[in-house]
Amino acid sequence: VNPKRQVSSYNLPLANALFPELVKAVFELEETLSKEHTLKQTDGKTLLEHSKEEEQRRPPSSHCAINCNAQFTPHVDSGRGSGQSLSMIVGLGDYIGGELAVEGSMYDIRYEPLEFDGWKLRHWTNMYQGERFSLVWFTPAEFSVDAA
């Protein structure tokens, strides 16, 4: 959980205390990606590109899921991320394959961030070989700017 976005009624996860440098680095990476990349966004059919302009930047997320060698089957997000904003995902590591499928369209996310609505759009991981990490930033409704 991003300590800068914490709401008082929410206890920080143990990982925040155990790995504070990692938490800091993960949310700094989100900020860097949103500043230095032309962000791509999909609705499952169309690929849009965001401007790097200041007013167009992605707002900081409250959460980030870190996945190591995970291969997800088709699903829509559920659980703790209830009512989340657009997710941003990026793949890291030494792997081939592993595209993110969103509603059947394939996106190479290796070192290329992508925004999509994981609550509404069915998505999954294609087969891959090697070591693959993915970072998924999101903000549940309870952490939205209006709620905080």
Side-chain angles (χ1 to χ4, degrees):
V1 172
N2 188 344
K4 294 178 184 176
R5 295 289 314 272
Q6 183 182 2
V7 294
S8 58
S9 63
Y10 189 86
N11 294 326
L12 286 175
L14 180 58
N16 277 56
L18 293 174
F19 307 105
E21 295 86 10
L22 177 60
V23 171
K24 182 179 180 212
V26 161
F27 290 103
E28 285 175 354
L29 177 59
E30 178 190 30
E31 182 179 1
T32 298
L33 290 173
S34 71
K35 283 181 183 176
E36 296 180 7
H37 274 72
T38 299
L39 288 182
K40 295 176 182 164
Q41 185 182 105
T42 185
D43 60 7
K45 299 174 191 149
T46 309
L47 188 63
L48 307 169
E49 292 191 2
H50 288 262
S51 163
K52 293 184 201 176
E53 300 298 321
E54 179 90 28
E55 63 275 1
Q56 299 290 328
R57 284 194 198 141
R58 176 183 174 80
S61 298
S62 64
H63 290 66
C64 183
I66 301 173
N67 304 300
C68 176
N69 293 328
Q71 187 157 4
F72 294 101
T73 57
H75 69 284
V76 292
D77 295 340
S78 62
R80 184 165 279 199
S82 180
Q84 71 189 23
S85 60
L86 286 177
S87 298
M88 181 172 75
I89 186 170
V90 68
L92 307 171
D94 185 15
Y95 65 92
I96 54 173
E99 298 84 4
L100 176 71
V102 180
E103 293 290 331
S105 296
M106 304 301 155
Y107 301 96
D108 182 2
I109 60 165
R110 187 168 181 257
Y111 300 102
E112 291 294 330
L114 177 72
E115 290 183 308
F116 71 104
D117 188 338
W119 265 106
K120 294 179 182 170
L121 302 173
R122 217 165 59 108
H123 55 285
W124 61 93
T125 313
N126 274 354
M127 300 285 293
Y128 63 91
Q129 293 179 335
E131 185 173 56
R132 181 183 184 274
F133 290 85
S134 62
L135 281 69
V136 186
W137 290 272
F138 62 98
T139 300
E142 70 180 296
F143 282 79
S144 72
V145 174
D146 297 334

